[in-house]
Amino acid sequence: MTITGSWQRTARGAGLLGTDGRIASTIFAEMSALAVSTGAINLGQGFPDEDGPAVVLEAAREAIADGLNQYPPAIGMPVLRQAVAEHQRRFYGLEVDADREVLVTAGATEALAATILALVDEGDEVLTFEPFYDAYGGLISLARGVHKTVPLRLPGFVPDHDELRAAVTDRTRLILVNNPHNPTGSVLPKETLELIVELAERHDAVIVTDEVYEHLVFDGVPVVPVATLPGARERTVTISSAGKTFSTTGWKTGWIVSTPELVTAILAVKQFLTFVNGAPFQPAVALGLGLGDDFYSGIAATLQGKRDLLSEGLRAAGFEVTVPKGTYFVVADAAALGYDDGAAFCRELPSLAGVVGVPISAFCHPRLAGEYSSLVRFAFCKKTEVLERAAAQLAGLAVSAA
Ligand SMILES: *Cc1c(COP(=O)(O)O)cnc(C)c1O
C-alpha cells in the first residue's frame, strides 16, 4: 500500500523524509538520543528540569480528586477564561471579554495549528521571521500555505525594516510573530512591532503573535504584546501557554485571546482537532495566572541568573555569545572556536565536552541555513548545578583550542 497525504508535506517541511523517501530523524531527536547514549548534559531540548509552583501542581491534583475529569466546555472552563482575561488586564491594561474573546487550547501548539488551519487557504502567504520555531513550517505546510520569511540579523537578531516592508504584500494572509523569540532569545523592538501592525493594516493581514515567553524576560526589558499597539487589537490573535511560565510543559494548556469573530473561526477548527482539553489543569493554570507579582518577578530573576551562568561559561569556553533578552535559550557562535558547521559541531560536542546543543540551522530553511551555520542554541532552563557542571565541562574546549 502506498501511503500518501498531507503528512508528507509536513514531513518534508520538517526535514523528516530522507531522499530515499524513508523517515529520517530530526536533529532534535538525534541530539536527544545522543545525550542519552553518551550521558552528556542535554541543553538541546527546552524543558525545565525542576517543578513549577507547588500550589499550581496541588490545584491540579485537587481538581482530579474533586472529580473534574470529564469533558470541559470546548471554549474552555470559565475559571480559566476569566483568569486569562484578568491576566491581560493586570499585566497589559487590555480589556478582554472572557466569554467571547478567549479560547483554551491544548498548549500553544494547538492554538497555532487551529489558527493557521482556520485562516490560511491554499497558496496564502504566511510570513515569519527566520530562524523560526519548527512547528511553524510544518503547520503552514499542512494548511498548504506558502511560508515566507524575513531573517533576524546579527548583531542582536533583529529584522531589517526594509526587508520586512518588502516581504508583506496583498498575498500575505498572516504575519506570525514570536516575541520573545525562540530560538534566538531576542525581544523585538517596539518600532518593529509598530511596523508589523502598519503593514498588516495596509495589506489586510491578520497578526498571530506567539507570546509563550511573555514572563521570561531579563534586564527589565519590556515585552510589548502586539495587541496593546494602536490598531492591532482587531486583527491580532494572541497565543500563550502555561508550559513555559509555570514549568509545566507536559500539561499542554494554552490559550488564544482575539476578537469574537476570530475566536469563532478558530474554535470551528479546534473542535475537530481536540474538541476540549485537560479539565483538571484548567483551574490549576487559572490559579497560577492569579499568583502575585513576586512569583512573576521571581521566575524572571531566577532564569536571568541561569542565563548569566551559562552565557559566562560559553564565553569562557571561547564562544561568541549573543546575550538573550528573554526565553530559555542562548545562542553561541562556534566559529570563534574554529567550527563553521554547527550541525557537525553539535554531533561532536558530547564527546568534546559532554554537552548537547542544537544547531540554529535546524530552525531555518536550507536556503538561509548557511548564514547561521556556525550558531548553536543552548537551553538554560536547568538546575543551577547542572549549568555549573556544563560550564565547567565546556571550559575544556578553550583549553583544547589553545
Ligand atoms: C514551547 C513553545 C511552544 C509550544 O507551547 P506548548 O504550550 O507546549 O504547546 C510554542 N511556541 C514557542 C515559540 C515555544 O517555544
Side-chain angles (χ1 to χ4, degrees):
M1 185 172 75
T2 312
I3 303 172
T4 58
S6 45
W7 71 274
Q8 289 171 308
R9 260 191 333 273
T10 26
R12 283 204 189 89
L16 275 170
L17 272 189
T19 43
D20 58 356
R22 291 178 18 159
I23 301 277
S25 73
T26 63
I27 190 93
F28 300 96
E30 185 188 336
M31 289 301 141
S32 286
L34 205 54
V36 171
S37 66
T38 61
I41 301 171
N42 190 354
L43 305 184
Q45 269 187 314
F47 64 88
D49 61 357
E50 284 179 291
D51 273 336
V55 284
V56 172
L57 306 184
E58 185 51 34
R61 278 190 288 267
E62 272 172 27
I64 292 174
D66 290 347
L68 272 182
N69 301 306
Q70 308 310 326
Y71 295 134
I75 196 168
M77 288 167 63
V79 64
L80 179 52
R81 285 187 279 111
Q82 279 152 15
V84 168
E86 172 55 23
H87 171 275
Q88 299 308 92
R89 197 192 57 73
R90 168 182 163 197
F91 286 99
Y92 309 127
L94 288 169
E95 292 302 327
V96 172
D97 181 344
D99 293 327
R100 301 165 69 224
E101 297 183 319
V102 181
L103 171 63
V104 176
T105 56
T109 308
E110 191 203 25
L112 288 160
T115 301
I116 291 169
L117 290 170
L119 302 180
V120 175
D121 267 335
E122 182 164 5
D124 285 348
E125 290 185 7
V126 180
L127 184 70
T128 75
F129 292 111
E130 184 164 2
F132 51 86
Y133 184 63
D134 57 337
Y136 297 175
L139 291 170
I140 294 164
S141 300
L142 266 183
R144 294 181 186 268
V146 177
H147 189 182
K148 298 278 176 174
T149 68
V150 169
L152 295 176
R153 302 219 178 260
L154 284 167
F157 293 112
V158 283
D160 178 89
H161 283 191
D162 289 331
E163 286 186 282
L164 182 54
R165 267 190 211 94
V168 184
T169 70
D170 288 346
R171 289 186 303 279
T172 308
R173 181 70 178 123
L174 304 183
I175 303 176
L176 174 47
V177 181
N178 172 210
N179 190 42
H181 185 261
N182 175 9
T184 66
S186 70
V187 172
L188 289 171
K190 191 173 181 205
E191 304 77 66
T192 301
L193 297 171
E194 285 167 342
L195 176 59
I196 288 168
V197 176
E198 181 193 318
L199 293 168
E201 281 179 325
R202 188 177 314 149
H203 297 284
D204 201 25
V206 173
I207 302 167
V208 180
T209 174
D210 175 346
E211 298 177 358
V212 299
Y213 296 102
E214 61 188 319
H215 291 295
L216 304 180
V217 284
F218 316 129
D219 308 322
V221 171
V223 171
V224 178
V226 176
T228 62
L229 296 172
R233 215 24 233 279
E234 59 266 32
R235 57 177 66 252
T236 298
V237 177
T238 302
I239 292 173
S240 194
S241 162
K244 309 292 158 63
T245 302
F246 303 115
S247 298
T248 51
T249 60
W251 285 13
K252 299 301 282 190
T253 302
W255 52 88
I256 283 166
V257 179
S258 192
T259 64
E261 295 73 23
L262 284 163
V263 163
T264 301
I266 297 164
L267 175 59
V269 172
K270 183 243 153 55
Q271 68 181 327
F272 298 125
L273 292 178
T274 56
F275 177 39
V276 301
N277 44 280
F281 299 128
Q282 296 191 32
V285 171
L287 185 141
L289 289 173
L291 288 175
D293 293 345
D294 49 338
F295 164 75
Y296 285 94
S297 52
I299 52 172
T302 302
L303 200 58
Q304 181 172 326
K306 294 179 179 208
R307 171 200 69 173
D308 292 343
L309 178 56
L310 185 62
S311 301
E312 267 314 306
L314 289 165
R315 219 176 276 120
F319 292 92
E320 202 176 307
V321 175
T322 299
V323 178
K325 295 183 177 145
T327 77
Y328 281 168
F329 307 107
V330 57
V331 176
D333 193 341
L337 283 159
Y339 293 88
D340 290 329
D341 182 341
F345 176 71
C346 285
R347 289 188 179 99
E348 267 185 65
L349 194 55
S351 55
L352 290 173
V355 172
V356 166
V358 178
I360 289 293
S361 57
F363 304 89
C364 298
H365 287 139
R367 180 176 53 79
L368 250 189
E371 275 190 45
Y372 301 93
S373 64
S374 60
L375 304 180
V376 179
R377 187 194 78 171
F378 294 98
F380 50 80
C381 50
K382 306 292 175 185
K383 291 190 186 93
T384 300
E385 68 254 32
V386 172
L387 296 173
E388 281 169 347
R389 201 149 41 82
Q393 290 172 202
L394 286 164
L397 286 173
V399 177
S400 49

